């Protein structure tokens, strides 16, 4: 490096042109060049179906419901947890080292929790169907005949209502089990270490608030703990997507020449998962045997849903290869394949 510097300085002293002289140089731009440059090209316009059914509006509706029902479910769960801690304290289970009684603990006030979850599912299902009706009314070129298609019976039907109630019972049970098991584990650990009840109670309360608390409002946005957000958003997406699916099917039955299928719609941003990005825009015929399997959610906190396919949209249905790829990307707990293949292997498998 020193020799190179000496060489450059020597050439300057001898009056020789510096190294690199005569080579092409980058043009010198003024400080106004950026201002005077042509504006960047605008991003491509969204396809017609996405303009008809903007997912940002759908996500806003889900977020509104999520915020409202997160508070209600968290409040019901908080009341149950507080009653559980009072029971442990009044019976002095920790001080008496009563392993048997702690192992038999259950979460009290579960009916209130189940009702809060059921309300979430029913309202989500109803909102999904109502939103589809509103979207179809606003669809471009909607005829009076088509407008009659969306005047459907009140939701939800008895079969759907029964399913939603059964699911609420299951969600309540799994949530209660998770809270009780963590409480038991912390109590057992406190007994082993000789920790005071006051300290254990404080730890339990902090753990609950971090995972299941009602959250706080910052900049008009409800910030929810992880577990309650996962519970509410995942199950709300499920109810909402099924409400939309049933309403699209009902509209198609009354007017098959107007509504011809369903399209998978995802909210595309930095949080979009691979499977939802892969399926975004995919068209499914109404009689597709895999329709229910691909109904969102396909993962925790999924934000995808169904939108109608109208008669003037001529997109090809999703291929078996793309279905297989999506199943490989989806966790088995959400209906994905247990044995995963690469996209290349999957396409080779279904190739004619």
């Amino acid at each position: 490096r020193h020799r190179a510097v000496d060489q450059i300085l020597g050439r300057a002293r001898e009056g020789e042109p510096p190294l690199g002289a005569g080579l092409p140089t980058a043009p010198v731009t003024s400080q106004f060049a950026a201002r005077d440059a042509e504006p960047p090209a605008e991003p491509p316009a969204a396809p017609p179906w996405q303009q008809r059914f903007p997912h940002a509006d759908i996500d806003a509706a889900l977020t509104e419901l999520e915020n409202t029902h997160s508070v209600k479910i968290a409040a019901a769960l908080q009341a149950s947890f507080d009653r559980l801690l009072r029971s442990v304290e009044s019976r002095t289970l920790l001080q008496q080292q009563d392993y048997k009684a702690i192992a038999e603990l259950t979460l009290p006030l579960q009916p209130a929790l189940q009702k809060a979850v059921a309300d979430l599912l029913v309202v989500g299902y109803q909102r999904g169907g109502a939103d589809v009706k509103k979207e179809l009314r606003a669809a471009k070129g909607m005829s009076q005949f088509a407008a009659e298609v969306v005047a459907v019976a009140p939701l939800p039907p008895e079969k759907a209502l029964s399913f939603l109630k059964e699911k609420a019972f299951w969600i309540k049970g799994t949530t209660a089990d998770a809270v009780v098991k963590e409480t038991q584990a912390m109590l057992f650990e406190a007994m082993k270490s000789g920790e005071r009840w006051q300290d254990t109670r404080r730890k339990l309360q902090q753990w609950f608030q971090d995972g299941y608390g009602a959250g706080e409002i910052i900049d008009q946005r409800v910030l929810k703990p992880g577990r309650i957000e996962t519970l509410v958003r995942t199950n709300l997406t499920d109810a909402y997507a099924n409400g939309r699916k049933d309403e699209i099917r009902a509209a198609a039955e009354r007017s098959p020449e107007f509504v011809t299928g369903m399209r998978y719609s995802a909210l595309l941003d930095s949080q979009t998962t691979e499977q939802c990005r892969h399926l975004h825009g995919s068209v499914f015929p109404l009689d597709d045997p895999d329709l229910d399997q691909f109904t969102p959610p396909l993962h925790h906190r999924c934000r995808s849903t169904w939108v109608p396919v109208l008669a003037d949209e001529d997109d090809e249905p999703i291929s078996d290869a793309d279905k297989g790829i999506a199943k490989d990307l989806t966790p088995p707990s959400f209906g994905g394949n247990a044995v995963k293949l690469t996209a290349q292997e999957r396409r080779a498998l279904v190739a004619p």
Side-chain angles (χ1 to χ4, degrees):
R1 185 168 61 244
H2 292 300
R3 275 199 304 272
V5 172
D6 290 342
Q7 184 181 10
I8 294 171
L9 293 176
R11 292 176 67 89
R13 283 195 298 268
E14 296 170 4
E16 297 182 22
L19 294 173
L23 295 177
T25 58
V28 178
T29 57
S30 73
Q31 58 180 323
F32 304 106
R35 184 195 67 184
D36 299 333
E38 294 184 5
E42 295 184 1
W49 72 265
Q50 208 164 351
Q51 297 177 34
R52 282 172 169 168
F53 311 111
H55 200 108
D57 294 347
I58 294 172
D59 187 62
L62 286 173
T63 300
E64 176 189 351
L65 291 176
E66 179 186 354
N67 289 340
T68 299
H69 289 273
S70 290
V71 174
K72 295 179 179 180
I73 292 175
L77 197 54
Q78 180 75 64
S80 296
F81 186 69
D82 289 345
R83 179 73 70 86
L84 175 64
L85 293 189
R86 287 197 297 270
S87 174
V88 173
E89 182 172 10
S90 65
R91 295 161 64 189
T92 63
L93 300 184
L94 184 61
Q95 296 88 330
Q96 295 184 33
Q97 302 278 300
D98 195 336
Y99 282 86
K100 184 175 184 296
I102 291 176
E104 295 174 350
L105 286 174
T106 58
L107 193 69
L109 303 178
Q110 291 192 26
L113 174 60
Q114 181 176 336
K115 182 180 184 305
V117 175
D119 288 346
L120 166 75
L121 300 182
V122 172
V123 170
Y125 183 94
Q126 290 176 319
R127 180 62 180 268
D131 282 356
V132 167
K133 288 191 288 184
K134 181 177 67 176
E135 292 159 6
L136 288 176
R137 287 192 185 101
K140 184 178 180 181
M142 189 90 171
S143 65
Q144 180 60 37
F145 172 73
E148 297 173 358
V149 172
V150 298
V152 299
L155 295 174
E158 286 301 317
K159 183 178 179 180
L161 184 61
S162 175
F163 169 77
L164 294 173
K165 288 182 176 179
E166 290 177 5
K167 184 168 185 182
F169 178 80
W170 176 81
I171 294 170
K172 176 267 300 179
T174 56
T175 304
D177 287 347
V179 171
V180 169
K181 286 180 180 178
E182 185 63 28
T183 301
Q184 290 169 328
M186 295 179 72
L187 289 172
F188 288 143
E189 184 62 30
M191 283 193 289
K192 185 172 67 175
S193 64
E195 187 175 66
R196 296 185 313 155
W197 163 245
Q198 292 85 345
D199 295 331
T200 303
R201 179 178 58 192
R202 185 163 52 251
K203 289 181 180 179
L204 282 164
Q205 290 170 334
Q206 187 60 55
W207 164 81
F208 183 86
Q209 285 302 318
D210 290 344
Y212 295 100
E216 56 181 331
I217 300 177
I218 298 178
D219 294 334
Q220 299 182 337
R221 179 172 177 264
V222 179
L223 301 182
K224 298 168 286 295
R227 291 183 181 88
I228 199 73
E229 181 178 15
T230 298
L231 184 156
V232 173
R233 187 58 184 241
T234 305
N235 290 288
L236 174 60
T237 294
D238 186 17
Y240 184 81
N242 274 285
R244 292 181 66 90
K245 179 180 66 178
D246 288 352
E247 181 57 35
I248 293 170
R249 277 175 166 162
E253 287 176 3
R254 283 183 292 273
S255 182
E257 67 278 12
F258 178 64
V259 179
T260 60
M262 299 192 202
R263 190 188 302 270
Y264 194 96
S265 177
L267 183 64
L268 301 181
D269 57 21
S270 60
Q271 302 177 38
T272 309
T273 59
E274 287 186 89
Q275 61 266 42
C276 287
R277 191 176 296 276
H278 176 77
L279 286 169
H280 178 65
S282 297
V283 170
F284 288 75
L286 292 167
D287 59 354
D288 191 307
D290 294 321
L291 193 61
D292 290 341
Q293 183 176 359
F294 283 104
T295 295
L298 297 187
H299 56 87
H300 290 299
R301 305 186 192 185
C302 184
R303 300 169 297 165
S304 300
T305 196
W306 293 117
V307 297
V309 176
L310 304 186
D312 61 352
E313 301 167 11
D314 56 358
D315 301 285
E316 291 294 323
I318 186 172
S319 67
D320 288 340
D322 281 323
K323 282 184 183 180
I325 292 170
K327 291 177 183 178
D328 286 338
L329 293 171
T330 302
S333 57
F334 285 87
N337 290 333
V339 178
K340 309 294 185 182
L341 301 178
T342 66
Q344 184 177 4
E345 291 171 335
R346 177 63 60 185
R347 293 191 189 282
L349 186 65
V350 299

